[in-house]
Amino acid sequence: MIPLAKPEMGDDEIALVAETIRSGWITQGPRVAEFENAFASRVGAAHAVAVANCTAALHLALVAAGIGPGDEVIVTPHSFIATSNPILYCGARPVFADIDPATLNMCPVKAAAAIGPRTRAIIAVHQVGRPADLKRLAELASQKGLMLIEDAACATGSSFLGKPIGGNDYSPMVCFSFHPRKIISTGDGGMITTGDPDLARRLRILRQQGMSVNDLERHQSKTVVSEDYPVVGYNYRLTDVQAAIGLGQLRRLDGIISRRREIAARYDAALGGFPGVGIFAEPADCRWNQQTYLIRLNGATAGTRDQFMQRLLEEGIATRRGIMSIHREACYLERFGAQSFPESESASDQCVCLPLYTQMGDADIDRVSASVRKHAPLP
Ligand SMILES: *Cc1c(COP(=O)(O)O)cnc(C)c1O
């Protein structure tokens, strides 16, 4: 059986976790600080704030941006539901702008058309780690006086026009995920990078119950410290045990990405130009970490796409549906009624994720490619 994904982790991470447990400090503390510093320097950010997951990262970014009831946030419908749920947590309204089918990322022209008098922010997703057009989206945000927030859940290690995603060259807050399906993992985990020391301070307070002093500072202080609570915060901490895993994972990041890119290139060579199968190219002057290898079955409906996936499963190959269309889910339908974003919907119906993990051998890639060619429905 060829699985869809498999995290790459081993003795380094095990040793770092053991060391952390023996240290006697297991929740947010010195390891989290070390992981934040290592992550910030890897992506060229001034500050990195670790949190429990990327959903929490997006929620805190919106809270720190002052988003609340009555506000609207422009977002793509073509993403994991965690991209837009945090807008609802803030009592604000997600306003969807359809994608460009060539990139599966939000179309800047459609984003511009969705802006209204209540719009306060834009969330740009780097879908499957493939950089969105940050230049145009940042120009749009600055022209209209909106906050741009990046959902870089899948984009650790990708870069846009030579700048690493997370370096805050185009937006003040970039949110990452360390779920096992992403590029590097801490089990669950997230990070927000920012170039603004004020935002960093606010995010740190918000992630720990709005407390003015964190646990470690209180623990290390030579005098009695009583904290106060200037704002209502959340418990969105990452633990030192998770950060220890993250430190081991960061050391592997370059190797993970280069192997993922080799695998994607081998798929591209086998499937590019094959009738009925569309592949996604790396945008010019960008580096794509290949977080997910998607194909588009141009001749498929949702039904024939499922049959294709079933055939592959019978041949021992796991696949998943492509990216969902958030507006079609019941919890959005009941709030906002039926909405239509045809590019997102047809991409959701026709795309399939193929297996991609660093331990995958060339023979596995060739076996998957042969099955795809055998079973892809023709247009
Ligand atoms: C995975 C994912 C998230 C959520 O990340 P978690 O760390 O699981 O909360 C958000 N947005 C996108 C685009 C994702 O792929």
Side-chain angles (χ1 to χ4, degrees), residues 53-55 58 79-80 82-83 125 127 151 153-154 177 179 182 189:
N53 52 65
C54 186
T55 314
L58 289 162
S79 189
F80 184 47
T83 298
V125 181
Q127 199 50 261
D151 177 349
C154 303
S177 172
H179 179 273
K182 317 298 171 159

Side-chain angles (χ1 to χ4, degrees), residues 336-353:
F336 306 110
Q339 304 182 74
S340 163
F341 300 98
E343 297 296 357
S344 174
E345 290 162 24
S346 80
S348 293
D349 293 345
Q350 293 188 324
C351 289
V352 175
C353 311

